[in-house]
Amino acid sequence: MTQPITLADDPDLAHLIDLLDMLRGPEATSLWGEGDHSIEKKFAYRLRPILNGQGSAQDVDYLAVYVLKYLGKDNTHIPQEQITKWLRGVNGLPAAGHAWVEDATRTAWTLVTRYSLPHWRGYRSTPGQDWLTTP
C-alpha cells in the first residue's frame, strides 16, 4: 500500500485546496448543483480523504481532473462568470474570477501530470523512450 498524500506533502495540492476554499462551499447549490450526481458530490468524494490525511494519488488526480473539467478555463459546466460570482470577498470583480480560473487550471494541470503521467506512459518506462527509438 502506498503512503497517503497530504497537503503538507504537496504544496500544489495545498494551493488547489486554498483556491477551492475561495469559492462558496457545497451549500451553494446554484454553483455546485444538487442530488446524487451533482458536481459537489464528485468533489466531496475526492476531497474528504485528502482533507482527512488519507488521500491517494488517484484521489488527487481525480480532484485535479474535476477542477479542469468543471471549473477550468473554457469548461462548459460552471462558466467563469459563475466562478466570479461565488468567489468570497472579491465582490464580483471579473479580473479576480479570470485570475482564479487561470490559477486553478494551471495548478490542476500540474497535479494531473504529476499523478497521471506514470499511468499515461504505460509500458514506456523511460521518459521520451519513443523519441529514442524513432529512426
Side-chain angles (χ1 to χ4, degrees):
M1 184 168 161
T2 61
Q3 293 284 18
I5 299 166
T6 68
L7 301 183
D9 296 329
D10 191 323
D12 292 317
L13 176 59
H15 181 64
L16 188 63
I17 299 301
D18 285 343
L19 289 170
L20 290 172
D21 278 348
M22 292 176 75
L23 292 172
R24 295 291 304 270
E27 77 283 354
T29 56
S30 60
L31 172 66
W32 300 107
E34 296 182 84
D36 289 339
H37 300 290
S38 69
I39 294 170
E40 178 269 329
K41 295 279 188 219
K42 292 178 187 309
F43 274 78
Y45 182 74
R46 298 303 176 166
L47 270 170
R48 285 188 183 118
I50 292 168
L51 296 175
N52 288 324
Q54 300 298 315
S56 67
Q58 187 176 30
D59 290 321
V60 176
D61 178 45
Y62 272 82
L63 176 64
V65 167
Y66 291 156
V67 168
L68 291 171
K69 182 176 182 179
Y70 298 111
L71 302 171
K73 186 174 181 173
D74 297 330
N75 82 82
T76 59
H77 300 279
I78 301 177
Q80 182 175 309
E81 294 76 24
Q82 277 290 95
I83 292 169
T84 301
K85 176 182 174 184
W86 292 103
L87 274 174
R88 300 174 198 255
V90 298
N91 300 321
L93 183 65
H98 175 78
W100 190 97
V101 169
E102 292 288 326
D103 194 1
T105 300
R106 186 174 37 260
T107 304
W109 182 247
T110 296
L111 291 168
V112 166
T113 57
R114 181 174 301 144
Y115 293 101
S116 290
L117 194 56
H119 300 292
W120 294 348
R121 189 173 285 130
Y123 69 90
R124 299 177 305 272
S125 60
T126 303
Q129 181 175 344
D130 285 348
W131 294 96
L132 293 172
T133 58
T134 303

